[in-house]
Amino acid sequence: MKNSPLRVQSQYRIGGMPLVSIALGADPARGETEGTARGILAIGDSAHGVLALGRQVTGVFALGGVAVGVIALGGAAAAGAIAVGGASAGYLAVGSVAVGRHTYSGRSISPRPRRHWK
């Protein structure tokens, strides 16, 4: 069974962005190698929005394999405020390897005293 791409976008818009955008899988008919979702709630291979979920994501709240946002959770996470992930960088960073002002990790780089798990 062949996987077909999924594309869903709500008609309702806020500030020109769709409320919900879902783009999963490559669509060769459109010349896409991955699904890119852009919306308030974005779900896709690559997702960009206020709440973004997927493999490579950017958003205010970003959850994914590689996540960048104000609050980011992922395998690799970079955030302006809170980053949680295997490798994380942010003001508050939690992960196996963490870089930030406040860090909680196995290995960390921080100007503050180190806190780590035992």
Side-chain angles (χ1 to χ4, degrees):
M1 179 177 201
K2 184 179 177 184
N3 291 338
S4 59
L6 172 66
R7 302 290 185 273
V8 176
Q9 200 168 84
S10 67
Q11 296 296 318
Y12 188 72
R13 295 182 175 270
I14 297 174
M17 291 181 73
L19 182 62
V20 177
S21 177
I22 301 171
L24 298 167
D27 191 352
R30 295 183 185 190
E32 298 174 343
T33 57
E34 66 180 12
T36 301
R38 288 182 176 82
I40 302 300
L41 169 59
I43 302 169
D45 301 322
S46 177
H48 314 281
V50 175
L51 174 56
L53 301 110
R55 189 180 66 228
Q56 299 170 344
V57 297
T58 58
V60 177
F61 301 99
L63 293 91
V66 177
V68 177
V70 176
I71 297 174
L73 289 84
I82 301 170
V84 179
S88 59
Y91 183 80
L92 169 62
V94 179
S96 295
V97 177
V99 177
R101 178 77 174 138
H102 300 278
T103 59
Y104 298 88
S105 72
R107 298 282 179 241
S108 62
I109 299 170
S110 173
R112 311 270 304 160
R114 189 172 124 173
R115 296 171 185 88
H116 57 85
W117 296 305
K118 294 184 181 193

